Amino acid sequence: MQSVGIVGYGVCVPKYRIKVQEIARVWGEEGDRISASLGIIEKSVPDIDEDAATLAVEAARNAIAFAKIKPDAIGAIYVGSESHPYAVKPTATIVAEAIGATPNLTAADLEFACKAGTAGIQICMGLVGANMVRYGLAIGADTSQGRPGDALEYTASAGAAAFVIGREKEEIVAEIEATCSFTTDTPDFWRRQHAEYPSHGGRFTGAPAYFRHIIGATQALFEKTGTRAADYDYFVFHQPNGKFPIEAAKKMGIDPQKVKPGLFTPIIGNTYSGASPIGLCGVLDIAKPGQRILLTSFGSGAGSDAFAIRVTDAIEKKRGEYCGRRLSDYLNDKEYIDYAIYVKHRRKLKM
Amino acid sequence: MPSENLAITWRRIPERYRLVGTFCRNCQTSYFPARKLCPKCRRKGKIEQKQFSGRGKIYSFTEVTAGPSGFEKQTPYILAIVELEEGPKLTAQIVGARKVKIGDAVEAVFRKIIEDSEEGLIHYGYKFRLV
């Protein structure tokens, strides 16, 4: 297959934050202990007028501004989310219209818990690599929900990341050298039709779900590409909390210091479909030409997509020219809210 | 209950989602919302589509404390007249700020404006935030 890669990338993280301490206060839990055991200080909370579609649009606009391409050259848009605003009516068409890519394109929504965004990257790689479209736009966006009082409430947050996938060598800022997946039917986390909140298997979400799939996909990628941990400068793993990615690295003999630059869950929470993609964007903001990144997502249900990525010389010029909002801008532009306002923002009150 | 006719909502999507208005090539005037006829040039006008940048400044504003139906839960919020850098003025909500002043630079953001009902259509469109 011809080489394909990331031509542009962008993120969006809502402005509001709630501290783990504040959530713990409401439920009579020890905030310090929970914060330490999850490796999370605070999480992002969407504004009352934000949803997966608005976050996807903003991330997509940033990615297109970075890529410096005409939106109508995009031939495919895939939006991965577990919180699409409609059960029936695609988020992808809202994004396509908002960025000005309509009407000559294909678009669809994807759902695979936290890995729907990377599934979109793989589909775009296929379409772009097969010359079926010039550019593909893959987005992971979520405003995830946790049942009040449930462990998930400390982590479920909101955010999005978007990637313009292309094949013109001089446009690519990070070449995707290889990808492979590891998929099984594992009932670790689910949400039934019409259910407000997801259910999960508690401790079962660890070893048989997260770790088995992350390690399975990452090791399969090592085998496929003939590489090993030492060949990569950065590792970005799905980050449901601040602990799992570090633990996964240790289990595979990877230096945790290579994971930390792409680990944002401790300060924005688990953005679900946006989680590992935002991590990748954070690494792309600092990586040098020639450096290699290994990204492995995880979606409950369950599966992992692993990617071997090499940063190209083009990244420095494009990064320098980009004048839109970067991940660091979104991380710094924050306002804390208390649990009562959080409840209003997340519509947890039934009136 | 739907807040407006579906066909009207649909027709206004380019305007609401990405600030598409018009421009008269003859007198170089920009219009938002779109005008089909240039009121200055009349039949000599050459109207064409134009997408606005979304950058502008606050021309005037008010704080809404008693919101209309569908906006009650968002109060208090700031409603402003924004002067786009291309000239036209429009009315929009300001997000993420409680205090603004005339002349503040703003940029357009894509947000949810109103939901018809629990099962109804979600209307998206432009709001602005301080830059």
Side-chain angles (χ1 to χ4, degrees):
Chain A
M1 199 171 86
Q2 105 174 78
S3 65
V4 295
I6 297 165
V7 172
Y9 62 92
V11 302
C12 177
V13 180
K15 180 183 172 119
Y16 299 99
R17 303 281 188 280
I18 187 166
K19 287 188 180 287
V20 164
Q21 287 276 5
E22 170 66 7
I23 300 172
R25 180 184 68 85
V26 172
W27 301 110
E29 302 270 2
E30 295 166 56
D32 291 335
R33 189 183 54 79
I34 291 175
S35 212
S37 75
L38 292 173
I40 291 201
I41 302 160
E42 58 202 42
K43 67 168 191 173
S44 67
V45 181
D47 204 344
I48 212 156
D49 58 359
E50 287 181 303
D51 61 20
T54 68
L55 299 177
V57 167
E58 190 161 328
R61 284 177 175 169
N62 289 338
I64 290 164
F66 187 101
K68 286 193 166 172
I69 60 159
K70 286 208 171 100
D72 59 8
I74 293 169
I77 298 181
Y78 294 98
V79 183
S81 180
E82 60 106 79
S83 49
H84 290 291
Y86 291 95
V88 178
K89 189 184 180 303
T91 309
T93 56
I94 299 170
V95 174
E97 203 68 66
I99 61 172
T102 54
N104 296 314
L105 81 160
T106 178
D109 286 359
L110 303 174
E111 189 279 314
F112 196 146
C114 298
K115 88 158 187 88
T118 59
I121 296 176
Q122 289 181 328
I123 297 173
C124 285
M125 286 174 68
L127 292 172
V128 167
N131 282 322
M132 287 172 70
V133 300
R134 185 165 172 205
Y135 299 111
L137 177 63
I139 307 170
D142 260 309
T143 54
S144 56
Q145 286 272 28
R147 192 185 304 276
D150 186 86
L152 269 183
E153 198 182 20
Y154 294 104
T155 57
S157 71
F163 301 90
V164 176
I165 306 296
R167 62 172 170 269
E168 311 288 336
K169 213 160 179 60
E170 57 283 7
E171 292 185 347
I172 293 174
V173 298
E175 189 183 336
I176 305 175
E177 297 176 314
T179 181
C180 67
S181 299
F182 186 98
T183 310
T184 68
D185 184 350
T186 303
D188 59 322
F189 173 101
W190 61 89
R191 179 163 63 82
R192 295 282 301 273
Q193 190 85 282
H194 310 302
E196 192 105 357
Y197 300 108
S199 306
H200 57 85
R203 287 174 58 85
F204 185 75
T205 58
Y210 179 87
F211 292 104
R212 179 175 176 223
H213 293 81
I214 288 273
I215 294 168
T218 305
Q219 282 177 343
L221 190 71
F222 283 152
E223 271 173 43
K224 186 176 174 176
T225 54
T227 56
R228 56 203 175 88
D231 296 326
Y232 297 88
D233 302 284
Y234 300 99
F235 287 84
V236 180
F237 297 129
H238 175 53
Q239 31 206 273
N241 52 53
K243 286 280 185 67
F244 275 20
I246 302 287
E247 232 175 287
K250 285 180 184 160
K251 281 182 201 282
M252 288 185 278
I254 295 164
D255 179 2
Q257 294 308 324
K258 291 184 176 179
V259 177
K260 285 177 182 165
L263 183 57
F264 297 98
T265 294
I267 50 171
I268 58 171
N270 178 9
T271 56
Y272 282 51
S273 298
S276 54
I278 287 176
L280 175 61
C281 292
V283 169
L284 289 173
D285 274 345
I286 55 165
K288 293 183 185 71
Q291 286 194 317
R292 297 175 86 180
I293 306 164
L294 193 148
L295 162 74
T296 307
S297 64
F298 169 73
S300 290
S304 280
D305 303 325
F307 301 82
I309 298 164
R310 190 190 291 270
V311 178
T312 74
D313 294 337
I315 199 162
E316 289 187 321
K317 184 165 179 282
K318 268 194 172 165
R319 253 184 341 213
E321 287 169 355
Y322 174 67
C323 45
R325 290 184 135 213
R326 294 163 201 268
L327 178 58
S328 56
D329 298 319
Y330 286 103
L331 298 181
N332 295 331
D333 180 19
K334 62 180 176 181
E335 184 179 327
Y336 290 102
I337 57 173
D338 62 15
Y339 195 85
I341 298 293
Y342 164 76
V343 162
K344 184 171 119 174
H345 275 239
R346 301 306 288 130
R347 300 186 182 197
K348 288 175 193 283
L349 279 177
K350 293 287 165 240
M351 292 179 275
Chain B
M1 219 181 54
S3 56
E4 68 184 358
N5 182 286
L6 273 182
I8 292 172
T9 302
W10 171 72
R11 212 171 286 132
R12 288 182 178 160
I13 280 177
E15 170 192 320
R16 290 174 178 171
Y17 282 22
R18 50 176 203 276
L19 292 169
V20 173
T22 51
F23 172 77
C24 176
R25 187 161 285 287
N26 195 41
C27 68
Q28 308 283 308
T29 309
S30 298
Y31 295 106
F32 188 90
R35 274 182 179 274
K36 286 200 170 112
L37 181 82
C38 177
K40 291 187 194 166
C41 306
R42 313 291 288 185
R43 75 181 61 174
K44 286 192 193 123
K46 289 194 176 73
I47 285 281
E48 54 191 53
Q49 222 180 55
K50 177 189 174 88
Q51 184 173 335
F52 290 85
S53 67
R55 288 183 294 270
K57 58 180 195 236
I58 293 181
Y59 178 82
S60 184
F61 70 91
T62 186
E63 187 176 311
V64 177
T65 48
S69 166
F71 293 86
E72 307 96 325
K73 306 216 169 56
Q74 297 179 35
T75 56
Y77 59 85
I78 292 167
L79 190 66
I81 296 176
V82 171
E83 184 175 4
L84 297 172
E85 64 178 7
E86 296 90 345
K89 298 186 192 75
L90 51 82
T91 304
Q93 278 174 265
I94 305 292
V95 299
R98 282 194 199 90
K99 290 268 178 271
V100 301
K101 55 182 191 303
I102 289 170
D104 279 351
V106 291
E107 64 181 1
V109 291
F110 183 80
R111 293 292 177 101
K112 201 155 62 177
I113 307 295
I114 194 168
E115 292 173 29
D116 284 344
S117 67
E118 193 86 336
E119 294 190 6
L121 199 70
I122 305 167
H123 298 262
Y124 294 96
Y126 56 80
K127 292 187 183 180
F128 287 79
R129 76 170 158 226
L130 301 179
V131 283

